[in-house]
């Protein structure tokens, strides 16, 4: 990758990040406000962002309320900010109000290998040992021998078990196929509580990585009872070379400084945006490089292998609870294979890439790629949040 020297940043405005039907949506934001001395829970009302922290000190608390959507639409608030001003603030600068990731105390979970196309790419990573130079050769063989056998297969079904037997006999079974079509999905902890970055912020990729990509995903937001209360967008940044060497390096590949982006807002479920609307979400990706390079892709939850509520059930239940709720990345169909640097090596990020992840019903999450080692350090955790709320008399 090139140096991460200062580069022109994308100009964000309300019209580019709001959902197309924002006037009918109940949208939750979080704002860093230096005047308040910490983060504020806020409602997005048109191009105004209204402080609701006195009503609900955390997003987690807000989502425990059955009337959360009504509160977001109608509750009297405190101070207000212009959305354009928040979007125009320099990323990581603590002395001006700016948007944060719109979740706080929720545990950040992720489901992996939930789409057949990305499933095959995980198998390819494993077979190449994380070496991008071998990707084209291995891809041709894996797609030829495995791809067609996955068409229409329901994970955990008797048909899936038969496919497993056949692939085992041919020496082609993989741990990724196990979680892709087996009875149990992959669900892992993506990042620590409060570590996610929001729209407009830098997003981090380890310096050592030479094969990596964005993962545009729909993110479910659930309360302490496992009820899905809303949805947003996320980038589950993936270091393909690291995870390809060993799945035991998943944490090294996934959990680094600024390697998890969520936003721009949580859209609460209501009569006009229910779980079926989530199931039908289309997600678009655009990567714009500092050299003029452009990559486009898309993902649709209609093609997911497991229903989103099945993924929630695999995360929350008698086996595991989350007292402050959780968010759940639902996986991605997108796995870029086009060459960027050299023939046969596929796509990888360059520092300065701008990543646009958007969906008509959820808005746009926009981030700029930098080395994780140079992203603004994560300094505000649970203790800092509690002290801030206590100083404001909100606990």
């Amino acid at each position: 990758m090139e140096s991460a020297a200062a580069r022109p940043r994308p100009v964000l405005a309300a019209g580019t990040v709001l959902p197309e039907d924002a006037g009918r949506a109940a949208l939750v934001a979080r704002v860093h406000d230096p005047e308040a001395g910490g983060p504020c829970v806020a409602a997005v009302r048109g191009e105004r962002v209204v402080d609701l922290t006195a009503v609900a000190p955390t997003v987690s608390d807000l989502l425990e309320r059955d009337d959360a959507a009504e509160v977001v639409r109608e509750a009297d608030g405190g101070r207000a900010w212009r959305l354009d001003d928040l979007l125009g603030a320099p990323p990581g600068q603590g002395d001006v109000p700016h948007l944060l990731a719109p979740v706080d105390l929720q545990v950040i979970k992720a489901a992996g290998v939930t789409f057949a196309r990305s499933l095959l790419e995980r198998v390819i990573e494993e077979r190449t040992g994380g070496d991008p130079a071998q990707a084209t050769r291995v891809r041709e063989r894996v797609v030829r021998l495995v791809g067609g056998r996955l068409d229409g297969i329901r994970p955990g079904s008797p048909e899936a078990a038969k496919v497993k037997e056949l692939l085992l006999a041919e020496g082609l079974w993989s741990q990724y196929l196990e979680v892709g079509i087996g009875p149990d999905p992959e669900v892992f902890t993506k990042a620590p509580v409060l570590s996610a970055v929001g729209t407009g912020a830098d997003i981090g990729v380890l310096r050592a990585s030479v094969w990596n990509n964005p993962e545009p995903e729909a993110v479910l937001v659930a309360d302490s009872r496992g009820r899905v209360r809303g949805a947003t967008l996320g980038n589950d940044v993936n270091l393909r070379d690291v995870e390809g060497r060993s799945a035991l390096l998943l944490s090294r590949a996934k959990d680094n400084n600024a390697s998890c982006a969520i936003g721009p807002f949580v859209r609460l479920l209501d009569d006009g945006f229910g779980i079926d609307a989530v199931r039908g979400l289309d997600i678009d990706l655009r990567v714009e490089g500092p050299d003029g390079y452009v990559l486009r892709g898309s993902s649709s939850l209609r093609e997911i292998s497991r229903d989103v509520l099945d993924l929630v059930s695999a995360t929350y239940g008698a086996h595991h609870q989350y007292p402050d709720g959780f968010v759940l990345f639902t996986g991605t169909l997108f796995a870029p294979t086009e060459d960027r640097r050299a023939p046969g090596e596929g796509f990888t990020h360059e520092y300065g890439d701008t990543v646009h992840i958007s969906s008509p019903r959820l808005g746009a999450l926009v981030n700029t790629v930098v080395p994780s080692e140079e992203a603004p350090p994560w300094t505000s955790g649970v203790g800092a949040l509690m002290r801030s709320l206590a100083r404001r008399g909100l606990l």
Side-chain angles (χ1 to χ4, degrees):
M1 290 187 181
E2 298 177 357
S3 168
R7 302 180 185 278
R9 291 188 172 272
V11 177
L12 302 182
T16 61
V17 303
L18 285 168
E20 64 180 13
D21 59 344
R24 298 191 297 273
L27 300 174
V28 180
R30 285 177 70 241
V31 176
H32 169 77
D33 184 16
E35 181 180 336
C40 300
V41 178
V44 181
R45 298 173 181 170
E47 296 190 6
R48 295 175 67 248
V49 181
V50 179
D51 183 7
L52 296 182
T53 315
V55 180
T58 67
V59 176
S60 173
D61 287 321
L62 174 64
L63 297 190
E64 292 299 311
R65 299 180 58 144
D66 290 335
D67 63 347
E70 180 181 347
V71 168
V72 168
R73 289 192 173 96
E74 301 177 7
D76 292 335
R79 67 175 56 79
W81 307 268
R82 292 180 66 247
L83 179 55
D84 281 341
D85 291 340
L86 297 175
L87 292 168
Q93 190 165 314
D95 59 352
V96 293
H98 59 270
L99 288 176
L100 302 169
V103 296
D104 43 40
L105 295 180
Q106 296 92 343
V107 175
I108 303 173
K109 307 292 286 189
V113 201
T114 55
F115 290 84
R117 190 188 309 169
S118 59
L119 161 59
L120 292 180
E121 287 300 311
R122 300 291 86 77
V123 176
I124 291 160
E125 288 167 16
E126 179 184 48
R127 295 279 164 168
T128 64
D131 181 0
Q134 299 183 47
T136 298
R137 176 183 57 79
V138 173
R139 182 176 293 111
E140 290 173 353
R141 180 172 185 266
V142 168
V143 171
R144 183 177 71 253
L145 296 177
V146 178
R149 295 179 177 178
L150 302 181
D151 294 344
I153 290 291
R154 182 170 56 85
S157 67
E159 292 79 13
K162 290 178 181 177
V163 169
K164 177 176 180 177
E165 290 177 7
L166 290 172
L167 294 176
L168 279 170
E170 295 181 17
L172 289 172
W173 190 244
S174 161
Q175 58 200 334
Y176 293 103
L177 287 163
E178 177 63 47
V179 297
I181 67 172
D184 299 312
E186 177 190 26
V187 179
F188 59 94
T189 299
K190 163 63 182 177
V193 170
L194 284 171
S195 68
V197 300
T199 201
D202 291 333
I203 193 162
V205 170
L206 284 183
R207 278 196 179 282
S209 176
V210 298
W211 191 20
N212 49 71
N213 61 256
E215 291 195 347
E217 304 190 20
V219 179
L220 308 177
V221 186
D223 65 12
S224 65
R225 287 176 278 177
R227 300 180 302 171
V228 177
R229 304 303 310 279
T232 185
L233 296 168
N235 187 350
D236 180 18
V237 180
N238 184 33
L239 308 186
R240 302 188 68 176
D241 48 354
V242 175
E243 187 179 352
R245 284 190 283 129
S246 171
L248 296 180
L249 292 172
L250 182 65
S251 180
R252 176 71 168 166
K254 291 289 189 179
D255 181 10
N256 299 291
N257 193 30
S259 65
C260 176
I262 298 175
F265 319 111
V266 173
R267 180 166 186 169
L268 300 184
L269 300 192
D270 56 20
D271 290 341
F273 182 73
I275 195 66
D276 283 338
V278 174
R279 290 184 173 110
L281 286 172
D282 293 318
I283 300 173
D284 292 320
L285 171 77
R286 186 172 78 255
V287 177
E288 298 177 350
D291 56 355
Y293 173 87
V294 177
L295 173 73
R296 298 180 185 274
S298 62
S299 183
S300 174
L301 259 69
R302 288 185 292 272
E303 297 185 48
I304 200 168
S305 300
R306 303 177 193 266
D307 187 73
V308 292
L309 293 186
D310 290 337
L311 296 177
V312 171
S313 296
T315 306
Y316 170 91
H319 64 291
H320 207 313
Q321 298 79 46
Y322 300 87
D324 297 302
F326 60 96
V327 301
L328 179 62
F329 283 71
T330 55
T332 185
L333 176 66
F334 181 73
T337 59
E338 69 176 60
D339 294 331
R340 182 173 190 179
R341 291 180 180 173
E345 292 193 3
F347 171 86
T348 197
H349 272 306
E350 298 287 351
Y351 298 138
D353 281 352
T354 300
V355 182
H356 301 250
I357 297 172
S358 62
S359 182
R361 307 297 300 275
L362 297 177
L365 173 66
V366 184
N367 303 99
T368 301
V369 176
V370 302
S372 289
E373 295 86 344
E374 294 183 18
W378 176 37
T379 59
S380 185
V382 176
L385 174 60
M386 295 300 107
R387 289 190 292 272
S388 172
L389 293 176
R391 284 195 301 269
R392 289 180 268 169
L394 296 170
L395 290 183

